[in-house]
Each structure stands twice: as C-alpha cells, then as structure tokens.
Amino acid sequence: MKSTLLALISLLFVSCLSDNESSKSVDYTVQNEKEIVDYIAKNKLTATKTDSGLYYVINEAGDGEQPTATSNVTVAYKGYFTNGNVFDESNASGISFGLNQVIKGWTEGIPYFKEGGSGILLVPSHLGYGSNDYSSIPGGSVLIFEVKLISVN
C-alpha cells in the first residue's frame, strides 16, 4: 500500500514538473534580432529600431491624424513571415480595432504613421505572440506586416 501511494505521489510530482517545463517561455531575442537584421539587409530596407526591439519602415508618412496607443484605427495589412509565407491579410478596406487590443508590436508601431501613411512593421516575437504557438503562427516567430493606416476613428 505504501509503495503504491509513493508511486502515485511520484507520478503526480513528475507530471507537474512536465507541465511547468512546457509552460516556460523561451527567449528568442537574439535569434529574432538576427532574423530581422538579415531580412532588412536582403530586402534593402531602411528601417528604424525602437528601444523595445521593434523595427519600422515608413514608405508614406501620411498627412492626417496620428493615433496614440489607445486609439481606435482602421488598418489594411498583410502579415507574413521572413520567408514570405503569408499568415493573415485584410481586404483593401481594412479592419477596425483598438490599438490596446492587439499585439504590442502594433500598439507601438501603428502610431508612427499618420492617416494615409503606409509602411512595414518588423515585429520580434516578444512583441507578437511570444514563445507560444498562436493559430498558424509558430512560437518565437518574427512577424512582418505591410500596413496602411486608413483612418483614426
């Protein structure tokens, strides 16, 4: 009886360790930085890096209102990985959302544009979905978004 109880407690302890280990996040900062810098060089982009590690490219600054991190905006976008595989895309009329309801890379990056502006956001995983898989996006992924800020609502 004692050995059965001991075996059961041991099994529970081991299974708890496995759960904790799988929930630990992995730091992809160095890997993501290299991937972004290589992508920028390969595509001959002129990008600006922020303190958080976000890179952005302004193709058109726009001339309308500039959003804040809490604005509701309408944005047309295409999201893809550095290998060019598209994981999401809006239609030309875009989608509307609050900038405080999306990934950190968008909350920080979209306010660099004014209405009518367009460009690229190069988002390291810690400003995207982190080290966890999300839908068709593998954990640790660098996300690239071509964005056009249609309006600040």
Side-chain angles (χ1 to χ4, degrees):
M1 179 72 173
K2 276 185 175 178
S3 61
T4 305
L5 185 58
L6 185 58
L8 183 58
I9 291 172
S10 296
L11 181 62
L12 286 172
F13 181 70
V14 170
S15 68
C16 287
L17 282 178
S18 298
D19 288 345
N20 288 340
E21 300 235 349
S22 67
S23 68
K24 285 183 182 174
S25 64
V26 177
D27 185 358
Y28 289 95
T29 306
V30 172
Q31 177 184 333
N32 287 176
E33 177 72 12
K34 181 179 180 343
E35 189 175 340
I36 291 171
V37 168
D38 289 350
Y39 181 88
I40 289 168
K42 179 182 175 190
N43 292 280
K44 298 179 175 72
L45 300 174
T46 302
T48 302
K49 181 182 181 183
T50 69
D51 291 342
S52 71
L54 174 74
Y55 284 82
Y56 65 94
V57 177
I58 296 180
N59 295 329
E60 290 181 49
D63 55 13
E65 187 177 343
Q66 191 161 10
T68 67
T70 58
S71 295
N72 185 286
V73 296
T74 301
V75 176
Y77 70 93
K78 179 165 98 173
Y80 50 95
F81 303 112
T82 55
N83 66 7
N85 291 344
V86 176
F87 59 81
D88 195 14
E89 187 171 7
S90 73
N91 60 33
S93 61
I95 61 166
S96 298
F97 51 84
L99 283 175
N100 57 353
Q101 300 171 320
V102 292
I103 62 171
K104 292 176 185 176
W106 276 53
T107 303
E108 179 184 349
I110 296 297
Y112 288 112
F113 302 93
K114 293 180 181 176
E115 284 179 329
S118 64
I120 301 170
L121 299 177
L122 299 107
V123 182
S125 61
H126 71 277
L127 298 175
Y129 296 104
S131 59
N132 301 312
D133 294 349
Y134 178 79
S135 187
S136 64
I137 301 170
S141 295
V142 169
L143 308 176
I144 301 180
F145 294 96
E146 292 176 11
V147 297
K148 179 171 179 64
L149 179 56
I150 297 169
S151 66
V152 178
N153 307 321

